[in-house]
Amino acid sequence: MEDELINIKTTALSFIWEAEDKKSLEETKLQFLGRSGKLTLAMKELPKLPIERRTEVGRLANEIKITIENALEQKQLDLTSEKTSKIKQSIDVTAPGIEPKIGHMHPISQVLHETIEIFKSLGFQVADGPEIETDHYNFEVLNIPKDHPSRDTQQTLFLDTTDTLYSPGEMLLRTQTSNMQGRIMEKTKPPFRVLVPGKVFRYEEVDASHGFEFWQVEGFMVDKNLSMSNLFATLDYFFKQFFGRDTKVKFVCHNFPFVEPGAEAYISCVVCKGKARLPDGQGCSFCKRTGWVEILGAGMIHPNVLRAVGINPDIWSGFAFGTGLSRMATLKFGMDDLRLLTNPDLRILEQF
Amino acid sequence: MLAPLSLIKDYVKITLSEANLAERLTEVGLGVENIKKKEGGSILDLEVTPNRPDWLSIVGVAREIASLENEKLKLPKVKELKKPTKILPLKIKTDYAINPRFTGIIITGVKVGESPDWLKKRLDQIGMRSINNIVDITNFVMYELGNPLHAFDYDKIEGHEMTVGQSLEGELFESVDGISYHLPKGAVVIRDSRKIIDLCGIKGGKNSGTYNDTKTVFIRVPVELPNLIRSTSTKLGLRSDASSIFEKAVDAGVTIFTLKRCVDLILEIAGGEIASDLYDLKAKEFLPWSVKVNLEKIKRYLGFTILDKDVIDILQRLNLQPVIKGGVLETKIPTYRNDLKIDEDIIEEVARLYGYNKIERKLPSGEIPVSRIDYFKDYSLQLKAKEILIAAGFSEIKSYSLVSEVDLDKFGLVGKNVLRVDNPVSREFEYLRPGLKIGLIKGLMENKKFRNDISLFELGKVYRKIDRKAVEEYFLSGISSNLSFAQIKGVLQKLFREFGIKKDPSSMIEIIDNGLFFEINFSEIEEKANTQKIYKSIPKYPPVIEDLSIKVSERVKTEDIIETIKNQNSIIYSVTLIDEFEDSKTFHIIYQDKEKNLTKEEVAVIHEKIVKSLKEKFGATQN
């Protein structure tokens, strides 16, 4: 009996030793430890032994079983790591990775959603409104009556009103997202903080920095005791979040009919980092060697606008700002031509 | 506006360096766009906002610099008008409702000729052409002081009478530069006894201009009404240096000073003598006006406590004669500052001279308003849709909303519901797109030149005329040259599921020449979207999974087979098609009982039921 057991052990261990893969190892396991395996069968014979020998042979059988199990387990591990290292040897790890085929978000969308996120963190709610607009909301309510010289800077595209409820000249394509100031303010009770992104249209010749269609974002806030200090801080916060913490922001006086006082914001040039010179010593052409780029118009909402929408300017004050999302995108990504934004060439789109 | 520094220095002392001056001017609102270096010195290229027509003159610019530098402005010295020795007749009739002030004088015995070099040089520096000494002087004085003026040839004023009135529709007028205009109704004009001789505030008439044979001139310095000038100049598409000042409101208080300056220069350069009394027809005296502002409001608007003495100092520099009485600041506005009318205007004056960038920046401190604004939109839905498409391999494009008739025609989109622009920038951009197909197909074709795997999408507005109203809606469309129908359908299924919408996208996908195209009304999706997700506990018992292969006619719709399988028992948790080839299909079926472990026997019964029903319904046989 003992001889038979030792024989089983030797054979099993040599089989395990020689096993080349998991399958043959599994077979070996069945052959010896399976339900009708050699060791299992031998162990079934134990009760037939005389009582005085049963304990001793039983202990031996158990030891052999443990030895075989351990050997199987060890071989199992060896086979696994051998396989891994074999696979590793067959892979050229220096070959480039295969990237998943995912698409690309348009730069305007990236800028749009990022801008929304930043202003949301300041408590702004986002709105959307019509691009086909009336003279009233696009101009009149914003303190820009007909024959106001500032209309020159916003040449307007008018829609053919045939088969519509409107008379000629009444339907136009909004020239600015500021059209939403009147629409929202006349219906929403202050205080409020609003952000309105969207497309605008101008009658304008197309070149690298002008288009007849582009994207803007408008923001306005009405509350008690709002100040220029609040306006400047809000924009300063936004630009630092958007363009990076090192961005410098400065304001100059400017005139827009729907704000008073009015301002324009400049940020330190994104290309030369405000140094006006490039690392090679050349002057920076992006900012015309000034170190600054103009980016946004803003101001305290004109009391005429507040009155026109039924808000008492003696109780409430507000600020408003507007900028080109298109311009923000070109600045953020260092693009030198607005027309790149409407170009569907994937060689451009895949860069973002 | 071009302002040579050398010339400005005649009117104010400048201590700032060129660069600092440019920066300070820009900061106070007079934007220096560029400094041009020319022989004779630097020239500032200034951006003048419509509220500050006074900056359209060299004295106006010098005055701004004087307030920055805290220096005195040096106005040109003018002589008192001499009593005329003889008086030439001239009858003037005006209407104050359309011409609030009409100042003028006759000078006779002038010798029209070339301008002296200094004058020619100055005009050249600011980009003006020299014509003759009289015209050059009027142009220079306008540029110097900011009030436009015009010289008439007195002898060509028939009947020696001038009447200010308004034009009739279509009246003919030939301007001094020889161009004929059909005037719109209501243009302000001057007529002599027979004809129109001046299109007021815009252009003088050819029939009464100053030429080499002119002996006697009448100089007119008017105040015109901004809206009348602008309306005529817009209708005619005719702008001039004069009209761009008048349409923004001229300084009504200095017509006599301007006239005196002009007379001095004419007498000096062209000779002659005054031959009339001073004409000064006006509705009223044009005097400084008062604007009051609460000091507390200035501080509240700025957002910090500016010292009263700083406010006073700033306003004094601007010649606004500030006086404080019991917390209220009173100012006297000079006639060249027509833009200062309300207290907010004064606050801007204080802020801009104080320096916007010296104001400490403090974020608004109040509570964040939470009630929903009107026109609210949740942009996260758009972002989610974009992200799904991008994950599926689509890249986003942005195309123009304006398209051409040719394109509409080519893509079968012409129709009565398309909106048209009356004054398009070109025929290429005449219509508002009723769908997103044009931009996407163009995008596909553009990229075909370089590659074959193209998947593009756009999420943007489309515009249609519905019930005589303009309707704008967001559409989500895509195009692909490499994805299969099933792949695109899958993307849309996924999209709908993420938005909690039950919809079959099959009919939204269209087979086109170079691939597949889909279009979804995204505004409808946004309206119905339910993106809330609620956790459902996972099954406690293991599922039984099996793959069922059948042979069935290819005409049988997969969707019908799946439905039939699912209908056999409620424990069939999901059925998916995992393989298909010709007439054989393999379905992956998951059986899941929520209450207990499934036995082989139970599943076998359902399995048989499935096989039987597929055979009966579709003649399917098991593989």
Side-chain angles (χ1 to χ4, degrees), chain B residues 522-582:
Chain B
F522 194 74
S523 290
E524 280 177 10
I525 304 281
E526 283 181 314
E527 216 169 282
K528 292 182 197 148
N530 177 7
T531 53
Q532 198 186 359
K533 290 180 175 168
I534 291 179
Y535 169 73
K536 275 184 270 179
S537 58
I538 56 166
K540 289 193 193 91
Y541 304 96
V544 174
I545 298 166
E546 70 166 6
D547 291 345
L548 172 69
S549 290
I550 55 167
K551 271 193 188 304
V552 67
S553 159
E554 283 166 66
R555 271 170 300 176
V556 176
K557 291 202 170 113
T558 308
E559 190 188 356
D560 295 338
I561 300 175
I562 292 175
E563 273 311 298
T564 305
I565 298 175
K566 276 188 179 167
N567 286 340
Q568 299 314 311
N569 198 297
S570 62
I571 66 160
I572 298 170
Y573 176 76
S574 81
V575 182
T576 38
L577 177 72
I578 52 169
D579 196 20
E580 91 184 295
F581 180 70
E582 290 175 351

Side-chain angles (χ1 to χ4, degrees), chain A residues 189-193 220-231 300-301 306 311-319, chain B residues 296-297 299-303 362-369:
Chain A
K189 280 206 177 84
F192 45 75
R193 304 179 180 191
F220 51 93
M221 179 165 170
V222 172
D223 208 330
K224 285 174 180 156
N225 300 322
L226 283 182
S227 66
M228 295 175 78
S229 163
N230 296 153
L231 166 64
M300 303 299 290
I301 299 175
L306 291 177
I311 294 175
N312 184 348
D314 296 329
I315 300 172
W316 304 97
S317 55
F319 62 67
Chain B
E296 187 273 328
K297 183 168 178 176
K299 289 162 195 168
R300 180 156 50 88
Y301 251 65
L302 296 181
K362 284 175 288 193
L363 282 172
S365 56
E367 254 179 61
I368 289 179

Side-chain angles (χ1 to χ4, degrees), chain B residues 117-179:
Chain B
D117 283 347
W118 71 264
L119 184 52
K120 280 203 257 183
K121 207 183 119 199
R122 296 228 152 139
L123 291 175
D124 181 55
Q125 274 185 309
I126 55 174
M128 274 189 189
R129 200 162 51 93
S130 170
I131 294 165
N132 63 45
N133 51 10
I134 300 289
V135 175
D136 289 356
I137 289 166
T138 57
N139 280 339
F140 175 72
V141 172
M142 168 179 74
Y143 173 74
E144 181 188 43
L145 301 179
N147 281 60
L149 55 171
H150 183 63
F152 296 83
D153 185 331
Y154 171 81
D155 295 318
K156 290 181 190 144
I157 305 174
E158 288 179 75
H160 292 149
E161 63 176 70
M162 298 172 94
T163 308
V164 181
Q166 281 175 293
S167 64
L168 305 171
E169 176 82 43
E171 273 190 281
L172 259 178
F173 169 74
E174 190 181 1
S175 70
V176 62
D177 33 17
I179 303 166

Side-chain angles (χ1 to χ4, degrees), chain A residues 130-297:
Chain A
E131 291 169 16
I132 298 169
E133 190 49 286
T134 59
D135 193 83
H136 175 74
Y137 288 112
N138 197 71
F139 292 118
E140 298 272 345
V141 91
L142 295 166
N143 205 25
I144 314 173
K146 292 210 169 65
D147 294 327
H148 192 287
S150 85
R151 287 201 179 198
D152 281 355
T153 59
Q154 299 195 13
Q155 295 287 344
T156 309
L157 292 168
F158 292 92
L159 292 182
D160 177 358
T161 51
T162 315
D163 288 334
T164 68
L165 299 169
Y166 302 90
S167 44
E170 250 193 303
M171 267 167 110
L172 51 86
L173 290 170
R174 68 173 173 197
T175 58
Q176 46 186 352
T177 40
S178 312
N179 71 318
M180 292 306 293
Q181 280 194 26
R183 284 184 174 271
I184 292 173
M185 289 200 285
E186 69 186 6
K187 288 199 181 164
T188 307
K189 280 206 177 84
F192 45 75
R193 304 179 180 191
V194 181
L195 191 77
V196 194
K199 211 181 226 185
V200 302
F201 301 79
R202 306 257 172 102
Y203 185 96
E204 196 140 8
E205 294 292 322
V206 178
D207 64 26
S209 48
H210 297 89
F212 57 87
E213 260 188 62
F214 51 98
W215 287 265
Q216 279 192 337
V217 62
E218 176 90 5
F220 51 93
M221 179 165 170
V222 172
D223 208 330
K224 285 174 180 156
N225 300 322
L226 283 182
S227 66
M228 295 175 78
S229 163
N230 296 153
L231 166 64
F232 294 163
T234 302
L235 295 173
D236 187 83
Y237 174 83
F238 167 67
F239 288 126
K240 285 193 163 72
Q241 293 290 313
F242 188 88
F243 286 109
R245 287 172 58 181
D246 299 336
T247 308
K248 289 188 198 75
V249 186
K250 74 169 181 181
F251 297 93
V252 306
C253 181
H254 202 81
N255 178 253
F256 304 99
F258 40 102
V259 290
E260 189 70 33
E264 245 177 11
Y266 287 70
I267 57 164
S268 46
C269 177
V270 289
V271 173
C272 63
K273 305 283 167 221
K275 293 189 175 71
R277 279 186 182 285
L278 299 172
D280 62 6
Q282 293 281 311
C284 176
S285 62
F286 202 78
C287 59
K288 292 186 200 148
R289 294 176 198 82
T290 60
W292 296 95
V293 287
E294 184 193 319
I295 187 153
L296 167 146

Side-chain angles (χ1 to χ4, degrees), chain B residues 346-385:
Chain B
I346 305 299
I347 295 172
E348 178 176 271
E349 293 306 298
V350 174
R352 72 186 181 95
L353 265 280
Y354 179 81
Y356 278 7
N357 299 300
K358 282 202 271 173
I359 298 175
E360 195 198 335
R361 299 171 190 178
K362 284 175 288 193
L363 282 172
S365 56
E367 254 179 61
I368 289 179
V370 288
S371 62
R372 207 22 75 91
I373 57 166
D374 213 49
Y375 291 96
F376 174 84
K377 182 183 177 74
D378 180 1
Y379 270 86
S380 70
L381 296 177
Q382 288 202 356
L383 180 61
K384 194 182 179 84

Side-chain angles (χ1 to χ4, degrees), chain B residues 579-595:
Chain B
D579 196 20
E580 91 184 295
F581 180 70
E582 290 175 351
D583 61 347
S584 60
K585 288 184 162 70
T586 304
F587 295 93
H588 189 71
I589 305 174
I590 300 175
Y591 302 88
Q592 174 76 63
D593 195 314
K594 284 177 195 155
E595 310 297 332

